[in-house]
Amino acid sequence: MTPYRSRLRAWAVAFLAAVALPAALLGPPTSASAANTLTMLGADVSSVQRSLDLGARYYDAAGTARDPLDILKGVGVNYVRLRVWNNPASGWNNKAKVLAYAKTVKAKGLKLMIDFHYSDTWADPGKQYKPAAWANHGIGQLQSDVYNYTSDVCTSLRNQGTTPDSVQIGNEINVGMLWNDGKVVNNDFTNLSLLLKAGYQATKACNGGTQVIIHTANADSMDHARWFYDGIRAKGVQWDLTALSYYCMWHGTLANLYNVITDVRTRYGKPVVLTETAYPFTAANADNEPNAINGTEPCAGHQASWTGQATEFSWVQDTARNAGAIGVFYWEPTWYAVPGNGWDPANINGTGNQWDNMAVFNWTGQVNPSIRWRP
């Protein structure tokens, strides 16, 4: 996920036309598979170290100040996702910070997912910038870069007793990563497959039990998902979990989500997890940075409110479960508006937070009393 307004504008044109609101109002699709269980109940809290460093406080539903991971664990979270950037200008979300926070995550009995962006900044469907150190590297060298970097981070985590339970090889790589060398052009998945294989091999060499995730934001369309995952499968890419991002304002109805999950789960024979979702709790804005989602056009019929947010998240979990998925992660639930924790790693002090109305904590750190992660 990247909290850029440009992302909303770009995707809105393509996806909102597919949204059929009346169908969404009927609630999450159900089937005979409703007895499935979500075992990965996750939260991407990549920004929380910086927030805490700046003095942010977090309060549970009773108003008691507590560690945010303890609060999230209390409402059902059992898995934490952390992004890692190679050499971000801010110094946050780099290897050293991830290693430090991984100790906190594991000490609380939570599982750990590492989300490799293979960039110094945000990577998403609209941009996959190479790290500056790899800028002039061709596909041959990039394979070594991906292998060595993945191995280094994973091995460092393992050696300190915080072996990752799962690893994403790239973030929302709808048309590839490490552009332009790893971009899919004219339906040619060759270069991307070489990079994904390098990441897979490095992870398994580090720890054979760590699950390798291939993540796209293709929950919008069965055709889009098939195009990508058919493409990498045809090139011999291996992976353990298929991951999708789902934001109703960009990816359409829950009925559509159900169909996409069901299709990729059966087509590729691998468990499916939604590694990103979120919903606004207000249409207001806490700072001078325009919000990525303004909250005035809620989808699925839910208002931008505590109740609306909790209901939409519940429906997403129900839909994923009923479609046979094994997990759902909320993206950046702890990233409320804390001055100095801006969205731009090149100007973290000078930019605001584009996600402050999408967190599950309000602007003074109180958790949404209705939010729950449910097996």
Side-chain angles (χ1 to χ4, degrees), residues 47-59 65-68 334 336-339 341 363-365:
S47 69
V48 78
Q49 279 178 284
R50 174 70 174 174
S51 292
L52 291 169
D53 186 62
L54 292 167
R57 301 291 297 275
Y58 293 86
Y59 301 88
R66 299 171 61 198
D67 184 287
T334 57
Y336 74 88
V338 178
N341 197 8
W363 303 334
T364 53

mmCIF file with all atom_site columns, all heavy atoms in Angstrom, residues 47-59 65-68 334 336-339 341 363-365:
data_model
loop_
_atom_site.group_PDB
_atom_site.id
_atom_site.type_symbol
_atom_site.label_atom_id
_atom_site.label_alt_id
_atom_site.label_comp_id
_atom_site.label_asym_id
_atom_site.label_entity_id
_atom_site.label_seq_id
_atom_site.pdbx_PDB_ins_code
_atom_site.Cartn_x
_atom_site.Cartn_y
_atom_site.Cartn_z
_atom_site.occupancy
_atom_site.B_iso_or_equiv
_atom_site.pdbx_formal_charge
_atom_site.auth_seq_id
_atom_site.auth_comp_id
_atom_site.auth_asym_id
_atom_site.auth_atom_id
_atom_site.pdbx_PDB_model_num
ATOM 1   N N   . SER A 1 47  ? 4.527  1.604  10.669 1.00 0.00 ? 47  SER A N   1
ATOM 2   C CA  . SER A 1 47  ? 4.793  2.989  11.080 1.00 0.00 ? 47  SER A CA  1
ATOM 3   C C   . SER A 1 47  ? 4.868  3.161  12.596 1.00 0.00 ? 47  SER A C   1
ATOM 4   O O   . SER A 1 47  ? 5.219  4.244  13.080 1.00 0.00 ? 47  SER A O   1
ATOM 5   C CB  . SER A 1 47  ? 3.699  3.915  10.542 1.00 0.00 ? 47  SER A CB  1
ATOM 6   O OG  . SER A 1 47  ? 2.467  3.662  11.210 1.00 0.00 ? 47  SER A OG  1
ATOM 7   N N   . VAL A 1 48  ? 4.528  2.126  13.357 1.00 0.00 ? 48  VAL A N   1
ATOM 8   C CA  . VAL A 1 48  ? 4.304  2.338  14.787 1.00 0.00 ? 48  VAL A CA  1
ATOM 9   C C   . VAL A 1 48  ? 5.582  2.652  15.554 1.00 0.00 ? 48  VAL A C   1
ATOM 10  O O   . VAL A 1 48  ? 5.548  3.388  16.554 1.00 0.00 ? 48  VAL A O   1
ATOM 11  C CB  . VAL A 1 48  ? 3.569  1.126  15.401 1.00 0.00 ? 48  VAL A CB  1
ATOM 12  C CG1 . VAL A 1 48  ? 4.506  -0.054 15.635 1.00 0.00 ? 48  VAL A CG1 1
ATOM 13  C CG2 . VAL A 1 48  ? 2.879  1.519  16.708 1.00 0.00 ? 48  VAL A CG2 1
ATOM 14  N N   . GLN A 1 49  ? 6.734  2.124  15.123 1.00 0.00 ? 49  GLN A N   1
ATOM 15  C CA  . GLN A 1 49  ? 7.977  2.440  15.827 1.00 0.00 ? 49  GLN A CA  1
ATOM 16  C C   . GLN A 1 49  ? 8.221  3.942  15.852 1.00 0.00 ? 49  GLN A C   1
ATOM 17  O O   . GLN A 1 49  ? 8.583  4.512  16.887 1.00 0.00 ? 49  GLN A O   1
ATOM 18  C CB  . GLN A 1 49  ? 9.168  1.767  15.140 1.00 0.00 ? 49  GLN A CB  1
ATOM 19  C CG  . GLN A 1 49  ? 9.378  0.314  15.464 1.00 0.00 ? 49  GLN A CG  1
ATOM 20  C CD  . GLN A 1 49  ? 10.552 -0.244 14.693 1.00 0.00 ? 49  GLN A CD  1
ATOM 21  O OE1 . GLN A 1 49  ? 10.447 -0.501 13.494 1.00 0.00 ? 49  GLN A OE1 1
ATOM 22  N NE2 . GLN A 1 49  ? 11.668 -0.444 15.362 1.00 0.00 ? 49  GLN A NE2 1
ATOM 23  N N   . ARG A 1 50  ? 8.038  4.574  14.710 1.00 0.00 ? 50  ARG A N   1
ATOM 24  C CA  . ARG A 1 50  ? 8.243  6.018  14.615 1.00 0.00 ? 50  ARG A CA  1
ATOM 25  C C   . ARG A 1 50  ? 7.232  6.763  15.482 1.00 0.00 ? 50  ARG A C   1
ATOM 26  O O   . ARG A 1 50  ? 7.580  7.723  16.178 1.00 0.00 ? 50  ARG A O   1
ATOM 27  C CB  . ARG A 1 50  ? 8.145  6.461  13.160 1.00 0.00 ? 50  ARG A CB  1
ATOM 28  C CG  . ARG A 1 50  ? 8.185  7.960  12.918 1.00 0.00 ? 50  ARG A CG  1
ATOM 29  C CD  . ARG A 1 50  ? 9.547  8.551  13.182 1.00 0.00 ? 50  ARG A CD  1
ATOM 30  N NE  . ARG A 1 50  ? 9.572  9.967  12.794 1.00 0.00 ? 50  ARG A NE  1
ATOM 31  C CZ  . ARG A 1 50  ? 10.605 10.786 13.015 1.00 0.00 ? 50  ARG A CZ  1
ATOM 32  N NH1 . ARG A 1 50  ? 11.702 10.330 13.598 1.00 0.00 ? 50  ARG A NH1 1
ATOM 33  N NH2 . ARG A 1 50  ? 10.547 12.046 12.640 1.00 0.00 ? 50  ARG A NH2 1
ATOM 34  N N   . SER A 1 51  ? 5.974  6.330  15.456 1.00 0.00 ? 51  SER A N   1
ATOM 35  C CA  . SER A 1 51  ? 4.952  6.982  16.275 1.00 0.00 ? 51  SER A CA  1
ATOM 36  C C   . SER A 1 51  ? 5.311  6.909  17.754 1.00 0.00 ? 51  SER A C   1
ATOM 37  O O   . SER A 1 51  ? 5.230  7.905  18.487 1.00 0.00 ? 51  SER A O   1
ATOM 38  C CB  . SER A 1 51  ? 3.591  6.334  16.034 1.00 0.00 ? 51  SER A CB  1
ATOM 39  O OG  . SER A 1 51  ? 3.107  6.598  14.728 1.00 0.00 ? 51  SER A OG  1
ATOM 40  N N   . LEU A 1 52  ? 5.700  5.731  18.203 1.00 0.00 ? 52  LEU A N   1
ATOM 41  C CA  . LEU A 1 52  ? 6.069  5.568  19.609 1.00 0.00 ? 52  LEU A CA  1
ATOM 42  C C   . LEU A 1 52  ? 7.297  6.399  19.961 1.00 0.00 ? 52  LEU A C   1
ATOM 43  O O   . LEU A 1 52  ? 7.374  6.994  21.048 1.00 0.00 ? 52  LEU A O   1
ATOM 44  C CB  . LEU A 1 52  ? 6.317  4.089  19.917 1.00 0.00 ? 52  LEU A CB  1
ATOM 45  C CG  . LEU A 1 52  ? 5.074  3.189  19.885 1.00 0.00 ? 52  LEU A CG  1
ATOM 46  C CD1 . LEU A 1 52  ? 5.481  1.719  19.933 1.00 0.00 ? 52  LEU A CD1 1
ATOM 47  C CD2 . LEU A 1 52  ? 4.132  3.520  21.027 1.00 0.00 ? 52  LEU A CD2 1
ATOM 48  N N   . ASP A 1 53  ? 8.249  6.461  19.060 1.00 0.00 ? 53  ASP A N   1
ATOM 49  C CA  . ASP A 1 53  ? 9.458  7.249  19.285 1.00 0.00 ? 53  ASP A CA  1
ATOM 50  C C   . ASP A 1 53  ? 9.117  8.727  19.458 1.00 0.00 ? 53  ASP A C   1
ATOM 51  O O   . ASP A 1 53  ? 9.798  9.458  20.189 1.00 0.00 ? 53  ASP A O   1
ATOM 52  C CB  . ASP A 1 53  ? 10.422 7.057  18.123 1.00 0.00 ? 53  ASP A CB  1
ATOM 53  C CG  . ASP A 1 53  ? 11.758 7.734  18.350 1.00 0.00 ? 53  ASP A CG  1
ATOM 54  O OD1 . ASP A 1 53  ? 12.454 7.355  19.306 1.00 0.00 ? 53  ASP A OD1 1
ATOM 55  O OD2 . ASP A 1 53  ? 12.115 8.646  17.574 1.00 0.00 ? 53  ASP A OD2 1
ATOM 56  N N   . LEU A 1 54  ? 8.045  9.156  18.789 1.00 0.00 ? 54  LEU A N   1
ATOM 57  C CA  . LEU A 1 54  ? 7.615  10.556 18.869 1.00 0.00 ? 54  LEU A CA  1
ATOM 58  C C   . LEU A 1 54  ? 6.662  10.803 20.036 1.00 0.00 ? 54  LEU A C   1
ATOM 59  O O   . LEU A 1 54  ? 6.158  11.912 20.200 1.00 0.00 ? 54  LEU A O   1
ATOM 60  C CB  . LEU A 1 54  ? 6.945  10.962 17.553 1.00 0.00 ? 54  LEU A CB  1
ATOM 61  C CG  . LEU A 1 54  ? 7.876  11.028 16.332 1.00 0.00 ? 54  LEU A CG  1
ATOM 62  C CD1 . LEU A 1 54  ? 7.070  11.133 15.046 1.00 0.00 ? 54  LEU A CD1 1
ATOM 63  C CD2 . LEU A 1 54  ? 8.832  12.212 16.458 1.00 0.00 ? 54  LEU A CD2 1
ATOM 64  N N   . GLY A 1 55  ? 6.413  9.784  20.823 1.00 0.00 ? 55  GLY A N   1
ATOM 65  C CA  . GLY A 1 55  ? 5.594  9.969  22.016 1.00 0.00 ? 55  GLY A CA  1
ATOM 66  C C   . GLY A 1 55  ? 4.131  9.632  21.875 1.00 0.00 ? 55  GLY A C   1
ATOM 67  O O   . GLY A 1 55  ? 3.330  9.965  22.768 1.00 0.00 ? 55  GLY A O   1
ATOM 68  N N   . ALA A 1 56  ? 3.750  8.976  20.798 1.00 0.00 ? 56  ALA A N   1
ATOM 69  C CA  . ALA A 1 56  ? 2.341  8.613  20.619 1.00 0.00 ? 56  ALA A CA  1
ATOM 70  C C   . ALA A 1 56  ? 1.883  7.675  21.731 1.00 0.00 ? 56  ALA A C   1
ATOM 71  O O   . ALA A 1 56  ? 2.633  6.825  22.203 1.00 0.00 ? 56  ALA A O   1
ATOM 72  C CB  . ALA A 1 56  ? 2.141  7.954  19.264 1.00 0.00 ? 56  ALA A CB  1
ATOM 73  N N   . ARG A 1 57  ? 0.636  7.857  22.149 1.00 0.00 ? 57  ARG A N   1
ATOM 74  C CA  . ARG A 1 57  ? 0.031  6.988  23.160 1.00 0.00 ? 57  ARG A CA  1
ATOM 75  C C   . ARG A 1 57  ? -1.133 6.233  22.519 1.00 0.00 ? 57  ARG A C   1
ATOM 76  O O   . ARG A 1 57  ? -1.828 6.746  21.634 1.00 0.00 ? 57  ARG A O   1
ATOM 77  C CB  . ARG A 1 57  ? -0.483 7.816  24.346 1.00 0.00 ? 57  ARG A CB  1
ATOM 78  C CG  . ARG A 1 57  ? 0.574  8.649  25.045 1.00 0.00 ? 57  ARG A CG  1
ATOM 79  C CD  . ARG A 1 57  ? 1.578  7.807  25.811 1.00 0.00 ? 57  ARG A CD  1
ATOM 80  N NE  . ARG A 1 57  ? 0.971  7.051  26.901 1.00 0.00 ? 57  ARG A NE  1
ATOM 81  C CZ  . ARG A 1 57  ? 0.753  7.544  28.127 1.00 0.00 ? 57  ARG A CZ  1
ATOM 82  N NH1 . ARG A 1 57  ? 1.089  8.813  28.408 1.00 0.00 ? 57  ARG A NH1 1
ATOM 83  N NH2 . ARG A 1 57  ? 0.214  6.799  29.072 1.00 0.00 ? 57  ARG A NH2 1
ATOM 84  N N   . TYR A 1 58  ? -1.332 5.030  23.008 1.00 0.00 ? 58  TYR A N   1
ATOM 85  C CA  . TYR A 1 58  ? -2.412 4.184  22.509 1.00 0.00 ? 58  TYR A CA  1
ATOM 86  C C   . TYR A 1 58  ? -3.249 3.702  23.684 1.00 0.00 ? 58  TYR A C   1
ATOM 87  O O   . TYR A 1 58  ? -2.706 3.302  24.715 1.00 0.00 ? 58  TYR A O   1
ATOM 88  C CB  . TYR A 1 58  ? -1.840 2.994  21.726 1.00 0.00 ? 58  TYR A CB  1
ATOM 89  C CG  . TYR A 1 58  ? -1.163 3.409  20.442 1.00 0.00 ? 58  TYR A CG  1
ATOM 90  C CD1 . TYR A 1 58  ? 0.180  3.795  20.429 1.00 0.00 ? 58  TYR A CD1 1
ATOM 91  C CD2 . TYR A 1 58  ? -1.858 3.431  19.236 1.00 0.00 ? 58  TYR A CD2 1
ATOM 92  C CE1 . TYR A 1 58  ? 0.810  4.191  19.254 1.00 0.00 ? 58  TYR A CE1 1
ATOM 93  C CE2 . TYR A 1 58  ? -1.244 3.822  18.053 1.00 0.00 ? 58  TYR A CE2 1
ATOM 94  C CZ  . TYR A 1 58  ? 0.087  4.200  18.072 1.00 0.00 ? 58  TYR A CZ  1
ATOM 95  O OH  . TYR A 1 58  ? 0.699  4.594  16.902 1.00 0.00 ? 58  TYR A OH  1
ATOM 96  N N   . TYR A 1 59  ? -4.576 3.742  23.505 1.00 0.00 ? 59  TYR A N   1
ATOM 97  C CA  . TYR A 1 59  ? -5.510 3.432  24.586 1.00 0.00 ? 59  TYR A CA  1
ATOM 98  C C   . TYR A 1 59  ? -6.487 2.346  24.153 1.00 0.00 ? 59  TYR A C   1
ATOM 99  O O   . TYR A 1 59  ? -7.021 2.381  23.033 1.00 0.00 ? 59  TYR A O   1
ATOM 100 C CB  . TYR A 1 59  ? -6.293 4.683  24.992 1.00 0.00 ? 59  TYR A CB  1
ATOM 101 C CG  . TYR A 1 59  ? -5.416 5.820  25.447 1.00 0.00 ? 59  TYR A CG  1
ATOM 102 C CD1 . TYR A 1 59  ? -4.906 6.742  24.528 1.00 0.00 ? 59  TYR A CD1 1
ATOM 103 C CD2 . TYR A 1 59  ? -5.066 5.967  26.790 1.00 0.00 ? 59  TYR A CD2 1
ATOM 104 C CE1 . TYR A 1 59  ? -4.084 7.783  24.935 1.00 0.00 ? 59  TYR A CE1 1
ATOM 105 C CE2 . TYR A 1 59  ? -4.244 7.007  27.211 1.00 0.00 ? 59  TYR A CE2 1
ATOM 106 C CZ  . TYR A 1 59  ? -3.752 7.911  26.274 1.00 0.00 ? 59  TYR A CZ  1
ATOM 107 O OH  . TYR A 1 59  ? -2.931 8.927  26.687 1.00 0.00 ? 59  TYR A OH  1
ATOM 108 N N   . ALA A 1 65  ? -3.996 3.325  28.835 1.00 0.00 ? 65  ALA A N   1
ATOM 109 C CA  . ALA A 1 65  ? -2.837 3.406  27.950 1.00 0.00 ? 65  ALA A CA  1
ATOM 110 C C   . ALA A 1 65  ? -2.067 2.091  27.997 1.00 0.00 ? 65  ALA A C   1
ATOM 111 O O   . ALA A 1 65  ? -1.716 1.596  29.069 1.00 0.00 ? 65  ALA A O   1
ATOM 112 C CB  . ALA A 1 65  ? -1.935 4.563  28.369 1.00 0.00 ? 65  ALA A CB  1
ATOM 113 N N   . ARG A 1 66  ? -1.811 1.534  26.805 1.00 0.00 ? 66  ARG A N   1
ATOM 114 C CA  . ARG A 1 66  ? -1.115 0.248  26.715 1.00 0.00 ? 66  ARG A CA  1
ATOM 115 C C   . ARG A 1 66  ? -0.262 0.222  25.459 1.00 0.00 ? 66  ARG A C   1
ATOM 116 O O   . ARG A 1 66  ? -0.417 1.066  24.559 1.00 0.00 ? 66  ARG A O   1
ATOM 117 C CB  . ARG A 1 66  ? -2.115 -0.912 26.669 1.00 0.00 ? 66  ARG A CB  1
ATOM 118 C CG  . ARG A 1 66  ? -3.006 -1.027 27.896 1.00 0.00 ? 66  ARG A CG  1
ATOM 119 C CD  . ARG A 1 66  ? -4.102 -2.060 27.691 1.00 0.00 ? 66  ARG A CD  1
ATOM 120 N NE  . ARG A 1 66  ? -3.567 -3.389 27.452 1.00 0.00 ? 66  ARG A NE  1
ATOM 121 C CZ  . ARG A 1 66  ? -4.271 -4.397 26.913 1.00 0.00 ? 66  ARG A CZ  1
ATOM 122 N NH1 . ARG A 1 66  ? -5.541 -4.190 26.553 1.00 0.00 ? 66  ARG A NH1 1
ATOM 123 N NH2 . ARG A 1 66  ? -3.728 -5.569 26.722 1.00 0.00 ? 66  ARG A NH2 1
ATOM 124 N N   . ASP A 1 67  ? 0.620  -0.740 25.383 1.00 0.00 ? 67  ASP A N   1
ATOM 125 C CA  . ASP A 1 67  ? 1.379  -0.952 24.158 1.00 0.00 ? 67  ASP A CA  1
ATOM 126 C C   . ASP A 1 67  ? 0.398  -1.278 23.026 1.00 0.00 ? 67  ASP A C   1
ATOM 127 O O   . ASP A 1 67  ? -0.519 -2.086 23.214 1.00 0.00 ? 67  ASP A O   1
ATOM 128 C CB  . ASP A 1 67  ? 2.360  -2.111 24.357 1.00 0.00 ? 67  ASP A CB  1
ATOM 129 C CG  . ASP A 1 67  ? 3.257  -2.336 23.155 1.00 0.00 ? 67  ASP A CG  1
ATOM 130 O OD1 . ASP A 1 67  ? 2.764  -2.856 22.131 1.00 0.00 ? 67  ASP A OD1 1
ATOM 131 O OD2 . ASP A 1 67  ? 4.452  -1.986 23.239 1.00 0.00 ? 67  ASP A OD2 1
ATOM 132 N N   . PRO A 1 68  ? 0.571  -0.673 21.859 1.00 0.00 ? 68  PRO A N   1
ATOM 133 C CA  . PRO A 1 68  ? -0.401 -0.912 20.784 1.00 0.00 ? 68  PRO A CA  1
ATOM 134 C C   . PRO A 1 68  ? -0.491 -2.379 20.367 1.00 0.00 ? 68  PRO A C   1
ATOM 135 O O   . PRO A 1 68  ? -1.573 -2.844 19.996 1.00 0.00 ? 68  PRO A O   1
ATOM 136 C CB  . PRO A 1 68  ? 0.102  -0.032 19.639 1.00 0.00 ? 68  PRO A CB  1
ATOM 137 C CG  . PRO A 1 68  ? 1.523  0.297  19.981 1.00 0.00 ? 68  PRO A CG  1
ATOM 138 C CD  . PRO A 1 68  ? 1.579  0.326  21.466 1.00 0.00 ? 68  PRO A CD  1
ATOM 139 N N   . THR A 1 334 ? -2.390 1.410  13.231 1.00 0.00 ? 334 THR A N   1
ATOM 140 C CA  . THR A 1 334 ? -1.839 2.250  14.298 1.00 0.00 ? 334 THR A CA  1
ATOM 141 C C   . THR A 1 334 ? -1.335 3.603  13.799 1.00 0.00 ? 334 THR A C   1
ATOM 142 O O   . THR A 1 334 ? -0.853 4.412  14.599 1.00 0.00 ? 334 THR A O   1
ATOM 143 C CB  . THR A 1 334 ? -0.665 1.538  14.991 1.00 0.00 ? 334 THR A CB  1
ATOM 144 O OG1 . THR A 1 334 ? 0.323  1.201  14.005 1.00 0.00 ? 334 THR A OG1 1
ATOM 145 C CG2 . THR A 1 334 ? -1.129 0.273  15.681 1.00 0.00 ? 334 THR A CG2 1
ATOM 146 N N   . TYR A 1 336 ? -2.080 6.726  13.216 1.00 0.00 ? 336 TYR A N   1
ATOM 147 C CA  . TYR A 1 336 ? -2.895 7.932  13.339 1.00 0.00 ? 336 TYR A CA  1
ATOM 148 C C   . TYR A 1 336 ? -1.995 9.165  13.234 1.00 0.00 ? 336 TYR A C   1
ATOM 149 O O   . TYR A 1 336 ? -0.769 9.045  13.157 1.00 0.00 ? 336 TYR A O   1
ATOM 150 C CB  . TYR A 1 336 ? -3.732 7.908  14.617 1.00 0.00 ? 336 TYR A CB  1
ATOM 151 C CG  . TYR A 1 336 ? -3.044 8.135  15.951 1.00 0.00 ? 336 TYR A CG  1
ATOM 152 C CD1 . TYR A 1 336 ? -2.874 9.423  16.452 1.00 0.00 ? 336 TYR A CD1 1
ATOM 153 C CD2 . TYR A 1 336 ? -2.624 7.071  16.743 1.00 0.00 ? 336 TYR A CD2 1
ATOM 154 C CE1 . TYR A 1 336 ? -2.287 9.646  17.692 1.00 0.00 ? 336 TYR A CE1 1
ATOM 155 C CE2 . TYR A 1 336 ? -2.047 7.269  17.987 1.00 0.00 ? 336 TYR A CE2 1
ATOM 156 C CZ  . TYR A 1 336 ? -1.868 8.574  18.454 1.00 0.00 ? 336 TYR A CZ  1
ATOM 157 O OH  . TYR A 1 336 ? -1.292 8.793  19.693 1.00 0.00 ? 336 TYR A OH  1
ATOM 158 N N   . ALA A 1 337 ? -2.583 10.347 13.192 1.00 0.00 ? 337 ALA A N   1
ATOM 159 C CA  . ALA A 1 337 ? -1.826 11.565 12.873 1.00 0.00 ? 337 ALA A CA  1
ATOM 160 C C   . ALA A 1 337 ? -0.897 11.950 14.018 1.00 0.00 ? 337 ALA A C   1
ATOM 161 O O   . ALA A 1 337 ? -1.323 12.526 15.016 1.00 0.00 ? 337 ALA A O   1
ATOM 162 C CB  . ALA A 1 337 ? -2.783 12.706 12.546 1.00 0.00 ? 337 ALA A CB  1
ATOM 163 N N   . VAL A 1 338 ? 0.381  11.650 13.864 1.00 0.00 ? 338 VAL A N   1
ATOM 164 C CA  . VAL A 1 338 ? 1.414  12.019 14.828 1.00 0.00 ? 338 VAL A CA  1
ATOM 165 C C   . VAL A 1 338 ? 2.405  12.919 14.106 1.00 0.00 ? 338 VAL A C   1
ATOM 166 O O   . VAL A 1 338 ? 3.071  12.473 13.166 1.00 0.00 ? 338 VAL A O   1
ATOM 167 C CB  . VAL A 1 338 ? 2.132  10.769 15.383 1.00 0.00 ? 338 VAL A CB  1
ATOM 168 C CG1 . VAL A 1 338 ? 3.230  11.169 16.352 1.00 0.00 ? 338 VAL A CG1 1
ATOM 169 C CG2 . VAL A 1 338 ? 1.136  9.826  16.044 1.00 0.00 ? 338 VAL A CG2 1
ATOM 170 N N   . PRO A 1 339 ? 2.512  14.189 14.472 1.00 0.00 ? 339 PRO A N   1
ATOM 171 C CA  . PRO A 1 339 ? 3.435  15.093 13.779 1.00 0.00 ? 339 PRO A CA  1
ATOM 172 C C   . PRO A 1 339 ? 4.846  14.521 13.755 1.00 0.00 ? 339 PRO A C   1
ATOM 173 O O   . PRO A 1 339 ? 5.363  14.054 14.776 1.00 0.00 ? 339 PRO A O   1
ATOM 174 C CB  . PRO A 1 339 ? 3.365  16.382 14.606 1.00 0.00 ? 339 PRO A CB  1
ATOM 175 C CG  . PRO A 1 339 ? 2.009  16.344 15.255 1.00 0.00 ? 339 PRO A CG  1
ATOM 176 C CD  . PRO A 1 339 ? 1.761  14.889 15.542 1.00 0.00 ? 339 PRO A CD  1
ATOM 177 N N   . ASN A 1 341 ? 5.635  11.946 11.716 1.00 0.00 ? 341 ASN A N   1
ATOM 178 C CA  . ASN A 1 341 ? 5.561  10.606 11.130 1.00 0.00 ? 341 ASN A CA  1
ATOM 179 C C   . ASN A 1 341 ? 4.817  10.686 9.809  1.00 0.00 ? 341 ASN A C   1
ATOM 180 O O   . ASN A 1 341 ? 3.774  10.072 9.614  1.00 0.00 ? 341 ASN A O   1
ATOM 181 C CB  . ASN A 1 341 ? 4.884  9.620  12.078 1.00 0.00 ? 341 ASN A CB  1
ATOM 182 C CG  . ASN A 1 341 ? 5.152  8.176  11.693 1.00 0.00 ? 341 ASN A CG  1
ATOM 183 O OD1 . ASN A 1 341 ? 5.955  7.898  10.808 1.00 0.00 ? 341 ASN A OD1 1
ATOM 184 N ND2 . ASN A 1 341 ? 4.489  7.254  12.372 1.00 0.00 ? 341 ASN A ND2 1
ATOM 185 N N   . TRP A 1 363 ? -7.522 10.119 16.630 1.00 0.00 ? 363 TRP A N   1
ATOM 186 C CA  . TRP A 1 363 ? -6.398 11.057 16.612 1.00 0.00 ? 363 TRP A CA  1
ATOM 187 C C   . TRP A 1 363 ? -5.831 11.356 17.984 1.00 0.00 ? 363 TRP A C   1
ATOM 188 O O   . TRP A 1 363 ? -4.837 12.063 18.104 1.00 0.00 ? 363 TRP A O   1
ATOM 189 C CB  . TRP A 1 363 ? -6.819 12.328 15.885 1.00 0.00 ? 363 TRP A CB  1
ATOM 190 C CG  . TRP A 1 363 ? -7.305 12.046 14.497 1.00 0.00 ? 363 TRP A CG  1
ATOM 191 C CD1 . TRP A 1 363 ? -6.959 10.973 13.714 1.00 0.00 ? 363 TRP A CD1 1
ATOM 192 C CD2 . TRP A 1 363 ? -8.231 12.790 13.732 1.00 0.00 ? 363 TRP A CD2 1
ATOM 193 N NE1 . TRP A 1 363 ? -7.612 11.018 12.513 1.00 0.00 ? 363 TRP A NE1 1
ATOM 194 C CE2 . TRP A 1 363 ? -8.408 12.125 12.490 1.00 0.00 ? 363 TRP A CE2 1
ATOM 195 C CE3 . TRP A 1 363 ? -8.958 13.968 13.966 1.00 0.00 ? 363 TRP A CE3 1
ATOM 196 C CZ2 . TRP A 1 363 ? -9.251 12.606 11.498 1.00 0.00 ? 363 TRP A CZ2 1
ATOM 197 C CZ3 . TRP A 1 363 ? -9.787 14.442 12.968 1.00 0.00 ? 363 TRP A CZ3 1
ATOM 198 C CH2 . TRP A 1 363 ? -9.933 13.769 11.753 1.00 0.00 ? 363 TRP A CH2 1
ATOM 199 N N   . THR A 1 364 ? -6.442 10.806 19.016 1.00 0.00 ? 364 THR A N   1
ATOM 200 C CA  . THR A 1 364 ? -5.841 10.869 20.349 1.00 0.00 ? 364 THR A CA  1
ATOM 201 C C   . THR A 1 364 ? -5.468 9.477  20.854 1.00 0.00 ? 364 THR A C   1
ATOM 202 O O   . THR A 1 364 ? -5.165 9.304  22.026 1.00 0.00 ? 364 THR A O   1
ATOM 203 C CB  . THR A 1 364 ? -6.807 11.550 21.353 1.00 0.00 ? 364 THR A CB  1
ATOM 204 O OG1 . THR A 1 364 ? -8.082 10.898 21.319 1.00 0.00 ? 364 THR A OG1 1
ATOM 205 C CG2 . THR A 1 364 ? -6.965 13.025 21.013 1.00 0.00 ? 364 THR A CG2 1
ATOM 206 N N   . GLY A 1 365 ? -5.495 8.485  19.943 1.00 0.00 ? 365 GLY A N   1
ATOM 207 C CA  . GLY A 1 365 ? -4.982 7.166  20.263 1.00 0.00 ? 365 GLY A CA  1
ATOM 208 C C   . GLY A 1 365 ? -5.965 6.172  20.836 1.00 0.00 ? 365 GLY A C   1
ATOM 209 O O   . GLY A 1 365 ? -5.571 5.082  21.249 1.00 0.00 ? 365 GLY A O   1
#
